[in-house]
Amino acid sequence: MTRLLKSFLSGKSGATAVEYGLLAALISVGLIAGASTFGNSLNNTFMTVSNSMQQTP
């Protein structure tokens, strides 16, 4: 098992796989942050609309 891991890490394909993994993780963090910001903005918009509707007779 350790021999397989060493050969994976020493080869170029192992380094490429690690780079792709890091890139995927970075993209995921960006998407999650963007979705969170968009969700908060959307929530604020709906709260504003809701409050406006409650104030009108």
Side-chain angles (χ1 to χ4, degrees), residues 38-48:
F38 177 70
N40 289 338
S41 175
L42 191 61
N43 185 33
N44 289 339
T45 301
F46 280 123
M47 290 299 290
T48 301

Side-chain angles (χ1 to χ4, degrees), residues 4-55:
L4 179 63
L5 183 61
K6 284 181 184 179
S7 69
F8 178 73
L9 292 176
S10 67
K12 289 185 180 181
S13 64
T16 303
V18 170
E19 289 169 357
Y20 280 133
L22 290 172
L23 186 61
L26 183 63
I27 290 171
S28 298
V29 167
L31 287 174
I32 290 169
S36 176
T37 302
F38 177 70
N40 289 338
S41 175
L42 191 61
N43 185 33
N44 289 339
T45 301
F46 280 123
M47 290 299 290
T48 301
V49 170
S50 174
N51 290 336
S52 295
M53 291 174 66
Q54 289 176 358
Q55 291 175 359

